[in-house]
Amino acid sequence: MEKREQMYEGKAKKVFKTDDPRYVIVDYKDDATAFNGEKKGQIAGKGVVNNTMSNIIFQLLEKKGVPTHFVEQISERETIVKAVKILPLEVIVRNVSAGSFAKRYGVEEGIVFDEPTFEFSYKNDDLGDPLMVESHALALKLATKEQIETVRKYAMIVNDTLKEFFLERDLKLIDFKIEFGLCDGEVILADEISPDTCRLWDVHTNEKMDKDRFRRDLGNVEETYQAVFERVKK
Ligand code: TMP
């Protein structure tokens, strides 16, 4: 497959056309942003980690019955994926209080929930990705009821699969964000699953091993991405 012109550049990835309209190539950058692009930086090696780690996880999820956009990794930073129309809903699942949940409700981080929580943010940078209830997503026709049911079902499989996968690697899955797209009318998992999009705490020390190290200036950012990568490759 041939790489053609760039279609889009996001905060962490570029997307290129190919000679086949059914497929695109994503190219992962080392750029990092936080707080809707207000904080900008670079995390050396992040693109390689996030590309490879996402692909390992997407292949595992396929085996668990979640269809994904993954086709083939073609270099350290580049992967061929199915072209999709992204549903403008960020799907967030939480197992433990942290981040915006802790802030919104004025509670500490680290409260373990009996059941995972499930929420949407409206994927819209101009509005700062606001929290959105399902009826509003339906009112704005961002997705159909059936698509939302499918998204919920897949998100729960992703949570169960990732919790086990990371626990085997001495990491607690605190929360994560995933995105879905439409391909031939079907809902499939797209975007990435990486330390940019998950909160991961070391099982023994509760040390934060994810993008919160960058967001909160906790130091050892590059080293932490590499440490997670080493555990994931095991
Ligand atoms: P939050 O606690 O800030 O709402 O984040 C929940 C999860 O979503 C966390 O694992 C980080 C991830 N996330 C993204 O992937 N992209 C984003 O833009 C934000 C705000 C969070």
Side-chain angles (χ1 to χ4, degrees):
M1 201 167 305
E2 239 177 79
K3 193 173 179 179
R4 295 267 169 93
E5 74 269 23
Q6 184 175 309
M7 295 168 67
Y8 171 79
E9 178 161 5
K11 285 182 283 212
K13 298 186 278 299
K14 296 176 185 174
V15 182
F16 293 85
K17 285 191 176 168
T18 68
D19 52 357
D20 185 332
R22 292 173 299 169
Y23 303 104
V24 297
I25 292 172
V26 288
D27 189 337
Y28 285 72
K29 306 189 284 183
D30 286 348
D31 296 349
T33 65
F35 316 117
N36 203 20
E38 259 174 62
K39 181 181 169 81
K40 286 193 178 73
Q42 290 249 318
I43 303 173
K46 174 169 85 79
V48 174
V49 173
N50 289 9
N51 183 36
T52 311
M53 176 168 166
S54 286
N55 292 340
I56 290 169
I57 290 173
F58 278 29
Q59 288 172 88
L60 173 64
L61 289 169
E62 290 271 358
K63 288 191 197 135
K64 302 283 180 176
V66 179
T68 79
H69 71 169
F70 175 77
V71 177
E72 187 191 354
Q73 183 163 339
I74 54 170
S75 76
E76 276 190 318
R77 292 174 183 275
E78 296 167 300
T79 296
I80 301 172
V81 300
K82 292 177 183 161
V84 299
K85 189 166 161 280
I86 289 282
L87 295 174
L89 293 171
E90 301 198 341
V91 177
I92 296 162
V93 177
R94 302 177 192 269
N95 298 301
V96 177
S97 67
S100 70
F101 181 99
K103 193 164 177 228
R104 172 169 293 114
Y105 300 114
V107 297
E108 72 271 30
E109 298 199 313
I111 303 166
V112 179
F113 304 146
D114 291 342
E115 296 291 333
T117 68
F118 175 89
E119 79 208 41
F120 294 121
S121 289
Y122 180 26
K123 189 173 157 67
N124 184 319
D125 282 340
D126 294 340
L127 302 177
D129 300 339
L131 187 67
M132 182 178 250
V133 297
E134 181 178 332
S135 66
H136 291 184
L138 290 171
L140 291 177
K141 296 196 171 8
L142 303 183
T144 67
K145 245 194 158 92
E146 293 70 33
Q147 286 164 351
I148 288 176
E149 271 323 299
T150 304
V151 161
R152 191 192 310 274
K153 181 181 80 181
Y154 289 157
M156 290 304 129
I157 301 174
V158 172
N159 188 43
D160 290 342
T161 304
L162 291 189
K163 265 200 315 196
E164 187 187 353
F165 176 83
F166 285 123
L167 205 54
E168 286 167 359
R169 288 155 178 83
D170 282 354
L171 292 166
K172 269 191 275 192
L173 178 63
I174 304 305
D175 56 31
F176 63 89
K177 183 270 299 178
I178 48 179
E179 296 182 23
F180 292 88
L182 295 179
C183 179
D184 299 326
E186 297 300 316
V187 173
I188 69 174
L189 185 65
D191 195 51
E192 67 178 277
I193 295 182
S194 70
D196 275 17
T197 64
C198 299
R199 284 196 175 90
L200 301 166
W201 295 359
D202 183 88
V203 172
H204 304 292
T205 64
N206 276 340
E207 195 186 344
K208 296 188 195 319
M209 303 212 38
D210 55 62
K211 195 177 166 189
D212 274 348
R213 301 206 74 83
F214 168 80
R215 295 187 188 101
R216 303 179 188 187
D217 296 319
L218 299 177
N220 290 329
V221 182
E222 274 91 4
E223 293 81 352
T224 298
Y225 274 73
Q226 293 303 327
V228 170
F229 194 31
E230 287 309 314
R231 294 195 200 186
V232 164
K233 282 191 288 189
K234 268 200 262 174

